[in-house]
Amino acid sequence: MAFVKDMLRMWAHSWKRFISIAMITLLGVAVLTGIYAGCRDAFRSTDRFFDAQGLHDVQVLSTAGLSNGDIAALRKVNGVAKVQAERSQEVTFDLDGRKSATMQEIGTNGIDQPYLQEGRMPKKAGEIAVTRKFIRDSGKRIGSRLTVTPESASSDTSDTNDTNGADGTNETNGTDEAPSFPTKLTIVGVVLDPQNLSNPDGYSAMTSFRSTATTDYTFFAPSDGVTGTLYTSATLLVKGAAAESTFDESYENTVKQVTDRIDGTVKTDRQKARRQELLDAGNRKIADARAEADKKFADAQSQIDANRQQFNQQVDQIVSMQAGAAAAGAAANGANAGAAAAAGATTPQLDETTRETMRETIIAASPELTQAKQQLDQAQSQLNEQKASTEQTLKTKENELKTSIPQVRWYVQDRQSLGGFSALKSDLDSIQSLGNAFPIVFLLVAVMMSLTAMARMVEEDRSLIGTYVGLGYGRLAVASRYLLFALLACLIGGGLGLIAGFLGIPAFLLVVLQGMYVMPGLRLEYDWLYGSLGIALFVVGVLAATIYACVQEMRQTPAALMRPKAPRAGSRILLERIRPVWNRIGFLGKVTARNIFRFKSRLIMTVGGVAGCTALIVCGLAINDTVADLGIKQYRDIYQYDLMVVSDDSDASAMRTKVASDGRVTSSLDVRIESGDLTVAGSGDGDSGKAGSSGSESIQLVAVPEKHLSDLGEMVTLQPVSSGILGTSGVGKTGSLKLDDDGVIVAQSAASALGVKAGSKVRLTNGDGVQATAKVGAVNRNLIGSDVYVSETYYAKLFDSKDAKNTKSSEDSEALTWNAMLAKLSGSDTSQTDYAESLEEDSSVMKAVSCAHMADSFKFDLMGAVVALIVALAGGLALVVLFTLANTNVSERVREMATLKVLGFFDREVHHYVNREMMILTVMGVILGLPLGRLVGGMLTMALNMPSLYFEVEVKPLSYVIAAVATMTFALLVQLFVNPVLDRIDPISSLKSVE
């Protein structure tokens, strides 16, 4: 019992050490669990929401639309739980300029159901539900009316629906018709699109660099009033996918099995079948047109024949009359009256030649008959010409039908292709990677501080330990006094850390996340396993340090332990050997220098602890600086052009004419821009970048005209890069990189994510879905977006573009449609932004992007919030570390301080004597921590590895200053707590002999 009471008294006396260990554990557990818990809560709530709304696992698109046969084929795929045929149509309306929207039919099979936020779901034709973004931008409300106009290419399949068959209609066959929606609409509800969780009311509304929407808004309409039997897409749910977390690899593997089956045989078979349907439809139209033309020509011929018969009868009648009259005259001049009577009574018989001669004579003599005959002959000639022309046209269409209908292509996509989903996942993954890295530093610092504190605690009790061991207490029983002390401190600190980690930090992160994304049903959850392991990790680390401290002392005999520890032997320090410097240092300065380097363990612990905390602060600020400079570096340094304008292929010429007529462009470069994919399959042979690397990245494929390859360097800064260590990269000389016909230039952001380097083989997918294996000629410095530059000739070689193989020999060949323009503009940044906005209102322009606007509006709010959190926690850790080291330093030197007081040192002089050593050690730790923070920041930014982003580590001088000043401020703040302790030292009691 006395042993327990003494243990409790010892614990109470060491309350400062207890608080220090508890605080370090609290901060470490909070960092370890907090960021993880916040991301996990967001992942789980989003996954529940996706399951509730039936967000599709797989989406199938086709360049020619999908038919009922396609839907039926998808239902038969093994592993498919549900298939929902989708119809949509793009419309435009006037809202402070021309705006576009996608009319989306609300599916009836429970897939991609919008989440009702206000009002009710539409049920009748003409009713729609809109997103909150539209309500915010338009100022409309529930009950407001809206009139829309279908675009000429009004759906995803419109440009392929027009097969230019026999009559050029927009139907692909007699029964398949493109979707059509009502145009007079009434808003009855406000909904959240499960495919896009972006918060339109949040502070991240201006973060547009990852926007993937092709239209401005989405309107949801019921099936009532929607016509058309051709589907724009098919959405699928996969069996067993709902049981997996949508953000886990197990979910991706489950879905991939189904997408592979679709890509295997179903896709190929249905592409061929669909094209054959289009060919059959075209042939039927041609046959129908031929039958209809034959009928019209037959009717016209019948009419001409009837008119000609009537004409001939009239002429024959005149011929007969004239022949009879001639015969009667001849008989009147005859011999007798009987002969005359006989001649008058009979019709003269004319041979065919005579009759035809008389016909021609009669017709020529009569202007009316001449005109009638000419009209009949002209009608017959025109009819013959029309028949010949129509037959030639139909034969030409028959010959051109196969070439006019392109190959049908399917696009099989999973959730990763959804811009809102991939943005959320990449944001959370990046924050979670930080949450996995920072606790390691906290744990190392916690172990170091625990070792320092517990070693001093055991050393203070060495005589008592010797007494207990001498009285027969086991070494384990004696050591349990300190092990239980450390364990209790860890458990209390860890418990409080769990509260902060599963409640405080997640609540903060989720507030930030909800400013960027809408997450219905979000709630905080506790993970017993992860929380317990988090505490156990720190308990093991701290207990290991305590066991080490106990073993170091208890390996001595009880007699040795009960005697005071011999003072550390004096020795010369290196500075003493530098006589010119040493001789100019005062007495107290020499004492300070000896004290610093004489106690090497204290030197290492103090400098190491301060360096670790400073490194954490620098690391957080480095990430903040890196993210803050991304927009400036990309849109002002790398992109030299001021404006990028993109149009549809059909509007490319009109777009260029419009831009040229405005007179704002000083220089420009016509290019072709397509959305595609870059894929690397892990082969392990080194040809695909890293051995075993794999993955896919969405890219912007930029084809450059052969005659203007050298002009690309004037619009984009071309700098070759090579991967470095710890987040660094080697950047070559500006202008040393040239685009040629032997390979593509890949952006650094994509190359870093996929492990691609110069000379690697990659698989490119262009805007038409055609895949080809390409050689990477070089990797270009690029931070935002994933651009892949390719020459016109190499594009033709890869994707078999028509007539493109002769681009070098034939200057007139137009292999590609240059649907985009990179341009440099005159005027200020504001005028350039306004000009880009005005261009988007033009019907020929699909997208206009101002680099000045992108540079100013680029934000990464979530990362900034997490960095602020990490810097705050690192600052708290620095404060606790300095407090622990300062108190340990004082407790070790109580007799020394008492001696100084006896010698006549005033309190302020004692303060200066002690604090000067701590400040020097702090400065040494700061000097070591600043470059260490840069290295750690490089490693963490490498771990982020987000889609379409490359973090080029940047640490501004101000960040180093802030980190150093913050650490020094914490050291000064600790002095306010230490100085009263020094004042309370009693010289008489402190100098009593321990014996």
Side-chain angles (χ1 to χ4, degrees):
M1 190 65 183
F3 180 81
V4 174
K5 288 183 178 179
D6 183 62
M7 181 178 64
L8 295 177
R9 281 195 296 268
M10 182 267 292
W11 287 6
H13 179 71
S14 303
W15 63 273
K16 292 180 181 178
R17 294 190 182 96
F18 188 91
I19 292 178
S20 297
I21 296 174
M23 287 298 298
I24 291 175
T25 306
L26 185 154
L27 292 173
V29 172
V31 172
L32 178 65
T33 60
I35 297 178
Y36 159 82
C39 294
R40 188 208 54 171
D41 292 341
F43 278 139
R44 287 190 175 183
S45 64
T46 306
D47 183 60
R48 288 193 300 268
F49 176 74
F50 287 159
D51 290 341
Q53 304 309 123
L55 181 65
H56 68 260
D57 299 313
V58 180
Q59 184 181 43
V60 178
L61 302 170
S62 172
T63 56
L66 297 172
S67 64
N68 289 322
D70 297 327
I71 304 300
L74 290 172
R75 287 196 175 99
K76 296 177 182 178
V77 176
N78 184 25
V80 173
K82 286 184 179 180
V83 178
Q84 179 173 284
E86 308 250 343
R87 293 181 292 184
S88 64
Q89 181 183 33
E90 290 187 9
V91 298
T92 59
F93 56 92
D94 185 24
L95 180 63
D96 297 330
R98 183 175 178 267
K99 296 292 184 180
S100 62
T102 298
M103 295 288 296
Q104 181 68 47
E105 179 185 16
I106 300 176
T108 58
N109 209 15
I111 302 179
D112 289 345
Q113 298 297 296
Y115 176 77
L116 183 64
Q117 294 178 302
E118 186 180 348
R120 64 176 178 84
M121 295 298 291
K123 298 179 180 178
K124 299 185 297 184
E127 294 181 343
I128 59 169
V130 299
T131 59
R132 192 166 296 280
K133 177 185 177 183
F134 176 77
I135 295 293
R136 184 200 65 182
D137 294 348
S138 65
K140 296 183 180 296
R141 59 182 185 274
I142 294 178
S144 298
R145 298 182 182 277
L146 181 70
T147 300
V148 298
T149 303
E151 290 190 355
S152 57
S154 58
S155 73
D156 294 342
T157 61
S158 57
D159 53 352
T160 56
N161 290 344
D162 184 2
T163 60
N164 293 325
D167 55 3
T169 61
N170 288 332
E171 299 179 14
T172 58
N173 55 45
T175 58
D176 288 341
E177 299 179 359
S180 179
F181 287 71
T183 57
K184 296 187 180 299
L185 310 173
T186 302
I187 301 173
V188 299
V190 179
V191 296
L192 173 65
D193 185 357
Q195 299 186 30
N196 184 7
L197 301 184
S198 299
N199 186 357
D201 300 321
Y203 48 77
S204 64
M206 291 299 294
T207 306
S208 58
F209 75 100
R210 287 180 292 183
S211 175
T212 57
T214 56
T215 56
D216 298 308
Y217 308 99
T218 301
F219 298 157
F220 296 90
S223 298
D224 186 20
V226 181
T227 61
T229 56
L230 196 65
Y231 305 111
T232 53
S233 66
T235 51
L236 290 70
L237 293 182
V238 175
K239 292 179 181 178
E244 306 289 346
S245 173
T246 185
F247 302 99
D248 290 347
E249 186 176 354
S250 57
Y251 167 82
E252 296 178 2
N253 293 335
T254 301
V255 174
K256 188 176 186 300
Q257 293 177 2
V258 175
T259 57
D260 288 345
R261 293 190 190 110
I262 297 175
D263 283 329
T265 56
V266 177
K267 176 179 178 180
T268 304
D269 294 343
R270 290 309 305 172
Q271 285 178 162
K272 293 179 180 178
R274 182 60 180 153
R275 186 169 187 269
Q276 189 59 47
E277 288 177 3
L278 299 178
L279 291 173
D280 293 342
N283 287 325
R284 284 198 300 271
K285 289 180 179 180
I286 294 175
D288 293 342
R290 177 178 280 111
E292 183 178 356
D294 290 343
K295 183 177 181 303
K296 290 181 179 178
F297 293 149
D299 293 340
Q301 187 64 57
S302 298
Q303 184 65 38
I304 293 174
D305 291 343
N307 292 336
R308 188 175 295 279
Q309 183 179 5
Q310 183 179 358
F311 175 81
N312 289 335
Q313 289 177 353
Q314 184 177 359
V315 173
D316 288 342
Q317 186 177 5
I318 296 175
V319 169
S320 299
M321 292 176 61
Q322 288 184 356
N333 297 325
N336 51 60
T346 61
T347 302
Q349 297 298 322
L350 301 177
D351 58 74
E352 190 63 30
T353 302
T354 304
R355 179 176 292 274
E356 188 61 31
T357 302
M358 292 183 65
R359 288 170 55 87
E360 293 176 357
T361 303
I362 293 171
I363 293 172
S366 172
E368 291 82 0
L369 292 177
T370 301
Q371 182 179 5
K373 184 177 185 301
Q374 289 176 349
Q375 289 176 347
L376 287 172
D377 293 341
Q378 184 178 4
Q380 185 65 54
S381 176
Q382 291 177 349
L383 180 60
N384 293 337
E385 290 177 359
Q386 289 178 2
K387 290 173 67 176
S389 175
T390 301
E391 184 62 27
Q392 183 62 37
T393 300
L394 292 176
K395 287 183 177 180
T396 301
K397 287 186 176 294
E398 285 178 340
N399 296 331
E400 294 178 350
L401 183 60
K402 289 186 178 182
T403 57
S404 64
I405 297 180
Q407 295 292 333
V408 176
R409 295 189 180 92
W410 273 24
Y411 300 94
V412 182
Q413 303 172 338
D414 56 18
R415 291 182 181 178
Q416 295 291 340
S417 63
L418 298 177
F421 176 87
S422 60
L424 173 63
K425 186 176 186 298
S426 63
D427 281 342
L428 294 178
D429 283 342
S430 64
I431 302 309
Q432 198 167 37
S433 65
L434 292 180
N436 294 335
F438 271 95
I440 297 175
V441 181
F442 277 77
L443 178 61
L444 293 176
V445 173
V447 171
M448 291 173 60
M449 294 305 100
S450 300
L451 180 60
T452 301
M454 296 310 297
R456 180 56 193 164
M457 186 176 181
V458 173
E459 185 178 336
E460 288 178 353
D461 290 346
R462 60 179 281 120
S463 60
L464 185 59
I465 292 172
T467 302
Y468 277 127
V469 174
L471 291 174
Y473 285 90
R475 296 180 186 271
L476 180 60
V478 176
S480 64
R481 293 157 49 92
Y482 310 101
L483 294 175
L484 292 176
F485 177 85
L487 177 62
L488 184 60
C490 285
L491 292 178
I492 293 177
L496 296 176
L498 291 180
I499 295 176
F502 283 98
L503 293 178
I505 295 178
F508 168 76
L509 288 179
L510 294 179
V511 167
V512 179
L513 279 170
Q514 287 177 321
M516 302 176 65
Y517 303 100
V518 180
M519 300 180 186
L522 187 62
R523 64 174 182 262
L524 302 178
E525 301 180 29
Y526 180 71
D527 188 335
W528 287 98
L529 178 61
Y530 195 85
S532 301
L533 291 177
I535 294 181
L537 184 63
F538 280 84
V539 166
V540 170
V542 174
L543 287 183
T546 305
I547 291 173
Y548 176 81
C550 292
V551 169
Q552 289 295 103
E553 290 293 337
M554 292 184 186
R555 64 184 177 181
Q556 301 180 48
T557 64
L561 288 172
M562 285 187 283
R563 287 195 298 267
K565 190 174 184 179
R568 188 180 299 273
S571 61
R572 286 192 174 189
I573 62 175
L574 179 63
L575 191 60
E576 291 186 51
R577 304 181 187 278
I578 307 176
R579 306 306 298 181
V581 177
W582 182 256
N583 292 335
R584 286 172 173 78
I585 298 178
F587 172 75
L588 292 179
K590 293 178 179 179
V591 173
T592 300
R594 285 197 180 102
N595 287 337
I596 289 175
F597 294 102
R598 184 177 164 197
F599 301 97
K600 292 183 175 58
S601 61
R602 188 179 68 195
L603 170 66
I604 294 174
M605 293 297 178
T606 304
V607 173
V610 173
C613 298
T614 305
L616 285 177
I617 297 175
V618 172
C619 181
L621 296 175
I623 296 174
N624 184 69
D625 292 343
T626 299
V627 172
D629 284 349
L630 281 179
I632 301 297
K633 290 181 178 180
Q634 181 68 36
Y635 297 109
R636 295 196 185 277
D637 296 342
I638 297 176
Y639 287 166
Q640 296 297 308
Y641 60 84
D642 301 313
L643 176 71
M644 179 177 71
V645 190
V646 184
S647 70
D648 288 327
D649 287 357
S650 58
D651 297 326
S653 178
M655 176 269 291
R656 288 193 292 271
T657 302
K658 163 65 178 174
V659 175
S661 64
D662 292 336
R664 296 290 305 275
V665 175
T666 58
S667 62
S668 64
L669 174 64
D670 292 336
V671 296
R672 177 169 184 80
I673 292 181
E674 300 175 354
S675 296
D677 291 298
L678 184 149
T679 305
V680 176
S683 59
D685 58 2
D687 289 340
S688 300
K690 298 177 185 176
S693 61
S694 63
S696 178
E697 185 87 4
S698 297
I699 61 168
Q700 182 171 270
L701 189 61
V702 182
V704 182
E706 196 67 30
K707 295 183 292 185
H708 300 285
L709 293 181
S710 59
D711 297 338
L712 179 62
E714 298 179 4
M715 295 296 171
V716 179
T717 301
L718 298 178
Q719 289 180 278
V721 294
S722 57
S723 299
I725 60 172
L726 302 180
T728 62
S729 58
V731 181
K733 182 180 178 182
T734 301
S736 61
L737 184 59
K738 301 293 184 182
L739 180 63
D740 54 33
D741 301 331
D742 296 328
V744 299
I745 297 178
V746 179
Q748 185 180 14
S749 47
S752 174
L754 300 177
V756 173
K757 60 184 179 181
S760 298
K761 298 289 186 179
V762 297
R763 181 163 291 276
L764 291 178
T765 304
N766 69 357
D768 293 328
V770 180
Q771 295 186 342
T773 300
K775 176 185 176 183
V776 177
V779 176
N780 182 50
R781 178 173 177 253
N782 195 85
L783 308 180
I784 301 176
S786 297
D787 297 333
V788 174
Y789 300 100
V790 57
S791 69
E792 181 182 5
T793 299
Y794 196 55
Y795 183 99
K797 180 180 178 181
L798 293 175
F799 303 112
D800 244 349
S801 178
K802 291 181 181 179
D803 300 328
K805 295 181 179 179
N806 301 321
T807 49
K808 285 189 174 181
S809 60
S810 175
E811 296 184 358
D812 298 329
S813 64
E814 186 72 15
L816 295 174
T817 299
W818 308 114
N819 66 338
M821 174 189 292
L822 308 179
K824 293 184 179 181
L825 302 177
S826 59
S828 63
D829 290 351
T830 302
S831 65
Q832 291 177 9
T833 301
D834 294 339
Y835 178 60
E837 292 177 353
S838 66
L839 279 179
E840 287 201 326
E841 298 178 3
D842 190 90
S843 59
S844 64
V845 176
M846 185 168 62
K847 188 69 175 177
V849 179
S850 167
C851 286
H853 172 70
M854 294 299 293
D856 295 338
S857 63
F858 180 89
K859 295 179 181 179
F860 208 163
D861 303 283
L862 180 58
M863 186 67 72
V866 174
V867 166
L869 174 65
I870 290 174
V871 170
L873 292 173
L877 180 64
L879 186 61
V880 174
V881 166
L882 290 170
F883 179 79
T884 302
L885 293 172
N887 276 283
T888 302
N889 182 37
V890 172
S891 66
E892 288 177 341
R893 304 168 64 186
V894 170
R895 292 175 64 85
E896 182 183 352
M897 299 303 104
T899 302
L900 292 176
K901 288 190 175 186
V902 171
L903 292 176
F905 278 64
F906 292 104
D907 288 343
R908 182 175 298 177
E909 293 173 326
V910 175
H911 297 168
H912 181 68
Y913 178 81
V914 176
N915 293 332
R916 181 167 56 179
E917 294 180 16
M918 284 301 301
M919 292 302 294
I920 293 175
L921 291 173
T922 302
V923 170
M924 295 171 64
V926 168
I927 294 174
L928 179 62
L930 294 179
L932 180 62
R934 168 61 179 79
L935 295 179
V936 175
M939 290 186 289
L940 287 178
T941 50
M942 286 178 64
L944 293 179
N945 210 17
M946 297 176 62
S948 300
L949 286 177
Y950 178 80
F951 292 95
E952 191 176 71
V953 184
E954 175 79 15
V955 186
K956 296 180 180 178
L958 181 61
S959 296
Y960 288 119
V961 173
I962 292 175
V965 170
T967 305
M968 300 303 297
T969 301
F970 292 142
L972 294 174
L973 184 62
V974 167
Q975 292 181 11
L976 300 178
F977 297 98
V978 174
N979 290 340
V981 176
L982 296 174
D983 295 339
R984 289 194 294 270
I985 294 177
D986 183 10
I988 297 176
S989 60
S990 299
L991 291 176
K992 285 182 180 179
S993 175
V994 294
E995 297 180 351

